[in-house]
Amino acid sequence: MTLKKTAAGLLILTMAVTGAACSSKDSTTSTPTATATAAPQATAAVTQDATNMKGYIAARIAREKVDYLFAEAKSADGAFVLNPIAATDKETAKKFLSSYVDAAMLDTIANYYVTDTKAGATFLTNTKSYFTDNILTTKKEEITFDKANTSELVKFTTKDGVTYTTKKVNDKFLLSEVK
């Protein structure tokens, strides 16, 4: 009985593969035409407004990640510590942030937050924020984008006068400067 089921299964599989092979020959003649018409739509130019928003969102995400890493976890006595879920020391903190913050800022931020003092196995962090304002409390309408922004660099200023710069690295915007 199993031999019959196996033989029937192989026969069905063979017919399916043969049918797929035959149908793929028929569809190859129409594929180049469909691809040629779809390609221009996919490469439509991105507007500067859309690029500005990508830069703004990247800065907000970077700030969220900095807060998550340095200002969320607490020791048993309530002191802020380096979030052990994401990092164990300055180097792993920089590695974690490298997806959100440009390499030029990584040392500055890690050195600012991570202290030499430990609470158990975890490093204590500076309780005062590196950032002079909180971009997470701003709204898009409260920021001013620099008119010289490009597809590779987005600068904007918050209502509090703090200027953020994001730059494109490997097709992704990273926070590169805060003044």
Side-chain angles (χ1 to χ4, degrees), residues 104-172:
M105 276 190 78
L106 287 175
D107 282 331
T108 304
I109 289 177
N111 290 335
Y112 179 84
Y113 279 106
V114 182
T115 68
D116 293 332
T117 309
K118 284 188 166 186
T122 310
F123 287 96
L124 292 175
T125 59
N126 190 350
T127 57
K128 186 174 185 248
S129 179
Y130 170 82
F131 302 94
T132 58
D133 78 334
N134 189 351
I135 190 173
L136 300 176
T137 62
T138 64
K139 296 177 184 157
K140 180 184 122 189
E141 299 80 27
E142 299 172 333
I143 61 171
T144 306
F145 289 103
D146 192 320
K147 294 193 184 319
N149 285 349
T150 67
S151 62
E152 302 295 316
L153 185 82
V154 173
K155 251 184 174 175
F156 60 89
T157 305
T158 66
K159 67 179 179 171
D160 298 323
V162 178
T163 301
Y164 288 80
T165 303
T166 59
K167 71 178 184 179
K168 193 180 270 189
V169 177
N170 296 328
D171 207 34
K172 181 180 177 182

Side-chain angles (χ1 to χ4, degrees), residues 65-84:
K65 297 304 178 179
V66 167
D67 286 353
Y68 169 75
L69 191 59
F70 302 117
E72 189 171 294
K74 292 185 177 182
S75 66
D77 64 354
F80 282 110
V81 295
L82 184 60
N83 195 328

